[in-house]
Amino acid sequence: MDVFSRTFLPAAAEAGLAVQTVSRHMPVFRRCVGSGDATILVTRCSRPERPVAGEYLLLLTHRRLVVTQQTRVLHRLRLHLNTELRELSNVTWSPDPRLHSVELAATAIDGVRERFLIRTAHPKQVWQLDALLNHAFRTRLRTARERIVATIGEAPLGMRPAAFRPAAVR
């Protein structure tokens, strides 16, 4: 069993998702997420601006955010959002323990502002969700420059001479 399957199934069970729902959405998630990417969160969500659009399932991994939609009438699945976390900008979330919900908003690379409302059963779960989102979007994201380990043709920092002096040719 790969990393994605090992982490997706417990996360789906923790969210209280039915086995039928998980098995229906799994092929779509498999196409979007690599086998080595670990799942952080799987949950149902809705869109505040379109409450009757259907059911959404949100998958958050260490690298990607994938949202699928199931239509109400024909129960067809479609991919709503599939993006790497580093391609999202202006990511915000607002936990509301009184309403047992967290609203997640982010701007996708195409400039569209996406908003999702995640409902929880207990106020304690709101703060757990807040901590997961903080881990995913604040502590795990690095700038592009920080991810570069080395550039081809460049000597490591400790190995560079203080000044380059060509050797004398005899």
Side-chain angles (χ1 to χ4, degrees), residues 61-89:
T61 69
H62 290 293
R63 293 184 200 131
R64 301 194 77 76
L65 175 65
V66 181
V67 180
T68 58
Q69 177 187 14
Q70 181 175 332
T71 60
R72 286 189 185 266
V73 178
L74 299 176
H75 301 288
R76 290 190 181 161
L77 283 181
R78 78 174 189 88
L79 186 62
H80 176 75
L81 180 65
N82 176 21
T83 185
E84 289 190 24
L85 296 184
R86 62 184 172 84
E87 293 175 346
L88 294 172
S89 62

Side-chain angles (χ1 to χ4, degrees), residues 8-167:
F8 178 78
L9 296 174
E14 185 178 325
L17 297 175
V19 174
Q20 296 86 359
T21 302
V22 171
S23 60
R24 196 170 39 246
H25 289 261
M26 183 62 112
V28 178
F29 289 145
R30 276 258 177 232
R31 285 194 302 267
C32 299
V33 178
S35 61
D37 203 3
T39 302
I40 297 173
L41 173 70
V42 180
T43 186
R44 292 182 193 275
C45 63
S46 61
R47 298 193 57 205
E49 66 274 2
R50 300 186 70 190
V52 293
E55 179 181 303
Y56 291 85
L57 199 61
L58 182 139
L59 167 68
L60 179 64
T61 69
H62 290 293
R63 293 184 200 131
R64 301 194 77 76
L65 175 65
V66 181
V67 180
T68 58
Q69 177 187 14
Q70 181 175 332
T71 60
R72 286 189 185 266
V73 178
L74 299 176
H75 301 288
R76 290 190 181 161
L77 283 181
R78 78 174 189 88
L79 186 62
H80 176 75
L81 180 65
N82 176 21
T83 185
E84 289 190 24
L85 296 184
R86 62 184 172 84
E87 293 175 346
L88 294 172
S89 62
N90 196 19
V91 178
T92 60
W93 62 92
S94 37
D96 189 350
R98 290 178 298 120
L99 296 176
H100 306 286
S101 65
V102 176
E103 184 176 335
L104 172 67
T107 304
I109 197 165
D110 59 0
V112 176
R113 184 78 176 159
E114 298 285 351
R115 292 176 51 218
F116 301 102
L117 186 64
I118 304 167
R119 298 204 183 275
T120 63
H122 304 287
K124 183 178 178 183
Q125 291 174 325
V126 170
W127 299 119
Q128 290 171 342
L129 187 56
D130 180 53
L132 286 174
L133 294 172
N134 187 47
H135 176 71
F137 291 109
R138 295 230 169 92
T139 60
R140 302 222 19 116
L141 290 183
R142 307 283 188 263
T143 63
R145 184 71 186 146
E146 290 177 37
R147 282 193 291 271
I148 295 175
V149 177
T151 305
I152 295 175
E154 212 178 83
L157 288 175
M159 302 296 287
R160 291 185 189 160
F164 178 77
R165 294 186 202 108

